[in-house]
Amino acid sequence: DDKIIAWAAVSTHEGVTEKLGIVGVFVSPEYRDKGVAHQALDALLGCLSEIKEDNNRPDYLHYNSGLERLFRPVIESHGFKDIYHK
């Protein structure tokens, strides 16, 4: 079956002093609670962490409040700092 069950994305923005990325993940309801979001986020941030810092690699990754348990460990494991919207 060829269908998209999940996606993860980062949009990068350069601020005055720091580079910021906004992280998003979606998983189809029938695939939730199976580790799919973690796998998608881990793969995406693994690629993002390989970008040289002088390019468009963000320093901080932002996400919505309530998702700290999913996002924070993966973000920190790839060397980024997390911030979230309360």
Side-chain angles (χ1 to χ4, degrees):
D1 193 12
D2 292 337
K3 70 177 188 175
I4 296 173
I5 63 166
W7 58 258
V10 174
S11 174
T12 59
H13 307 274
E14 190 157 349
V16 176
T17 59
E18 304 290 343
K19 294 178 183 172
L20 174 69
I22 300 172
V23 182
V25 176
F26 171 80
V27 178
S28 294
E30 63 269 25
Y31 292 94
R32 292 181 183 163
D33 298 321
K34 297 181 180 182
V36 175
H38 183 274
Q39 291 175 3
L41 186 60
D42 189 48
L44 174 67
L45 297 185
C47 292
L48 188 63
S49 67
E50 293 178 8
I51 295 174
K52 291 185 179 189
E53 291 187 31
D54 57 344
N55 289 331
N56 204 20
R57 182 183 188 272
D59 301 306
Y60 294 90
L61 295 176
H62 175 272
Y63 54 89
N64 287 332
S65 179
L67 298 171
E68 297 88 354
R69 197 180 82 201
L70 167 64
F71 283 86
R72 182 173 289 138
V74 181
I75 287 171
E76 290 177 350
S77 74
H78 288 284
F80 300 103
K81 299 172 188 125
D82 76 322
I83 55 174
Y84 57 91
H85 181 73
K86 293 183 179 182

